[in-house]
Amino acid sequence: MSITRLSDGRFRVRVYLGYEKDAKGRERRKLIDRICANEKEAKRLEAQLREELRRQEYVPPTRLTVAGFLDEWLEKSAKPSVKRRTYERYKQLVEKHLKPHLGALRLEKLEPRHVDGMLADLSGKIADRTRLHVYRCLHRAMEVAVRWRLVGRNVCDAVEPPKADDPEMVVLSAEEIDRLLQAAKEHHYHGTADSRFYCLYLAAVFTGMREGELFGLRWEDLDLEEGIAHVRQTVEQGGKHPVFGTPKNRKPRAVPLPPEVTDALKAWKVEQEIERAFYAQGYRDFGLVFTRPNGEPLSPSAFAHGPHQAIVEKAKLPKRLRFHDLRHTFASRALAAGANVRAISEILGHHDPGFTLRVYSHVLATDKAEASEKLANYLRSSPKKQEPGR
């Protein structure tokens, strides 16, 4: 390495990296050549380059912009590795927020202050949780940039993530569950009275399965005699051009079905066969349990804004109640009833029981008080042992 003063008062930092062959096969010296405004800056750069080379973290400069990199990341890394809806969400965040704020910068020039500036500018304009998603999207992309050796570090590591409250969890009481199931039983889909939604809501409350997992459930995945549902696929997009995917964490799992659910499923299967016969050749058979009348998979978006909203209103429940809250209801009620945490974690498809404990710690807080009281009662009622004489 060398530092030389130029005639205009600036300083040149040169680091020699050996030799490389040019396009014509001739050997030429390979080096890093940087110009600094003053000697202090030059010495700091020299020390930085020396350390990066020692750690093998030096990344040659590139003219690639943040926008160009994000486009490449979406297509080459995100699209093949995440679910369709996740990819579409990433793309939306990139196009709507990341590119307008950071896209014109050269990737190698991206600094923590740029990310902080973007997050500050978005504050008050979008929800705090959306700002957090913007940060997480960029963080994940920059991890790939480091792996691809386009940059030497993930600048997001030096940025404090935006704080956002978790979405409010709604857990239904037994009386509210009864009202919801009754409303689902009375709901007419496309003017037809059937039990499809009663069966769907019953399964959600008693199994804790995710919406996409229930929409993707096939009859071949069910063992109604043994009372088991095998979660093997999900619906990512319903309607005429459905897209199916794998369960979250890409792990199939077995979920126990109580008698109430198996009985309802058997009854619904008979109704669905009548529906299939009515549509004849027009029936689109995907082998699914919960479908539109013509056999097409239910669309998560259309379901949320249509039947679900109508059923919630009919049951006179809070409008903020999401279908996903039935999963929370299942888990909360099961844990409050004393169910084993590991078993509930496996039924829900969580990656470990610790995650289940963190999500539903509010439910177990009352259990701690009860456990303490039970211990105190036990100790009070235990016969006093006399101390041995000395």
Side-chain angles (χ1 to χ4, degrees):
M1 293 189 182
S2 68
I3 298 178
T4 56
R5 184 186 179 97
L6 302 176
S7 58
D8 61 3
R10 293 184 300 167
F11 287 78
R12 165 172 272 152
V13 179
R14 281 189 165 180
V15 183
Y16 298 95
L17 304 174
Y19 292 87
E20 64 179 357
K21 290 185 177 181
D22 61 17
K24 295 183 179 180
R26 296 173 298 192
E27 284 196 344
R28 62 187 181 99
R29 220 170 200 184
K30 184 180 180 182
L31 57 80
I32 302 170
D33 192 352
R34 303 277 184 85
I35 304 296
C36 298
N38 54 58
E39 186 175 13
K40 183 179 180 180
E41 185 181 326
K43 287 182 177 179
R44 183 167 55 83
L45 177 61
E46 181 195 32
Q48 177 187 328
L49 292 172
R50 191 187 299 275
E51 183 63 14
E52 287 179 358
L53 289 168
R54 184 185 71 79
R55 294 184 178 183
Q56 297 184 333
E57 294 177 351
Y58 172 72
V59 178
T62 173
R63 302 197 66 81
L64 182 65
T65 64
V66 173
F69 162 69
L70 289 173
D71 287 339
E72 191 174 359
W73 167 70
L74 282 170
E75 294 306 309
K76 293 183 179 178
S77 179
K79 195 171 188 177
S81 61
V82 301
K83 290 183 175 294
R84 179 190 178 97
R85 290 172 72 177
T86 304
Y87 166 76
E88 289 173 351
R89 180 59 172 154
Y90 283 159
K91 190 169 185 178
Q92 182 187 45
L93 294 172
V94 165
E95 296 295 337
K96 196 170 182 179
H97 302 298
L98 292 174
K99 278 188 179 181
H101 285 88
L102 306 174
L105 289 169
R106 280 173 56 180
L107 183 63
E108 65 178 37
K109 298 292 184 182
L110 182 63
E111 297 180 9
R113 63 187 177 90
H114 297 129
V115 181
D116 272 325
M118 173 191 66
L119 295 173
D121 185 62
L122 290 173
S123 181
K125 297 178 181 177
I126 60 176
D128 289 340
R129 179 148 293 276
T130 305
R131 280 204 312 144
L132 179 59
H133 289 163
V134 170
Y135 168 84
R136 287 175 174 172
C137 178
L138 182 61
H139 192 287
R140 179 160 186 165
M142 293 306 296
E143 283 182 342
V144 174
V146 173
R147 197 171 72 241
W148 287 353
R149 297 190 62 78
L150 296 174
V151 294
R153 61 168 182 156
N154 187 337
V155 296
C156 293
D157 288 336
V159 176
E160 186 175 351
K163 289 182 171 56
D165 295 331
D166 290 329
E168 186 179 358
M169 187 185 298
V170 179
V171 176
L172 301 180
S173 66
E175 189 269 336
E176 288 173 326
I177 291 172
D178 287 341
R179 277 163 37 203
L180 181 71
L181 293 176
Q182 184 61 34
K185 185 180 291 185
E186 295 172 0
H187 182 76
H188 290 187
Y189 190 47
H190 290 280
T192 303
D194 56 45
S195 63
R196 92 180 66 236
F197 288 130
Y198 169 72
C199 195
L200 173 65
Y201 278 81
L202 191 71
V205 169
F206 277 91
T207 69
M209 290 169 63
R210 299 178 179 92
E211 179 185 72
E213 294 170 348
L214 285 165
F215 288 4
L217 192 65
R218 296 165 297 192
W219 290 109
E220 67 184 63
D221 299 325
L222 298 177
D223 186 335
L224 296 180
E225 299 309 315
E226 293 294 326
I228 297 174
H230 298 278
V231 180
R232 298 187 177 111
Q233 74 167 10
T234 63
V235 166
E236 295 182 9
Q237 177 179 304
K240 294 182 179 180
H241 307 288
V243 176
F244 298 95
T246 56
K248 201 168 184 179
N249 302 326
R250 304 184 186 279
K251 291 182 179 179
R253 68 184 191 280
V255 175
L257 301 174
E260 296 93 329
V261 177
T262 56
D263 289 346
L265 284 168
K266 289 175 183 177
W268 164 238
K269 190 172 186 180
V270 174
E271 289 186 59
Q272 193 185 61
E273 288 299 327
I274 296 172
E275 207 166 58
R276 187 198 312 270
F278 174 80
Y279 278 88
Q281 298 298 322
Y283 192 85
R284 302 191 67 198
D285 194 355
F286 294 93
L288 299 174
V289 177
F290 303 110
T291 67
R292 294 178 174 182
N294 68 348
E296 290 178 356
L298 294 168
S299 167
S301 177
F303 171 74
H305 294 95
H308 177 69
Q309 189 175 28
I311 290 169
V312 168
E313 288 179 2
K314 187 175 184 65
K316 296 182 180 179
L317 294 172
K319 290 183 179 180
R320 69 180 185 279
L321 179 70
R322 305 163 300 168
F323 189 82
H324 192 75
D325 286 316
L326 304 184
R327 178 174 167 85
H328 293 319
T329 296
F330 163 80
S332 298
R333 294 302 172 203
L335 291 171
N340 180 276
V341 175
R342 181 174 292 278
I344 295 302
S345 181
E346 290 177 359
I347 290 172
L348 292 172
H350 288 165
H351 55 276
D352 70 77
F355 177 79
T356 308
L357 284 171
R358 288 192 295 275
V359 173
Y360 299 102
S361 58
H362 64 288
V363 177
L364 300 175
T366 55
D367 291 349
K368 292 177 184 177
E370 290 176 7
S372 179
E373 181 63 25
K374 286 178 181 178
L375 175 61
N377 291 336
Y378 170 76
L379 293 176
R380 290 190 199 105
S381 61
S382 297
K384 303 289 184 183
K385 290 184 178 180
Q386 294 196 356
E387 293 185 7
R390 296 194 178 192

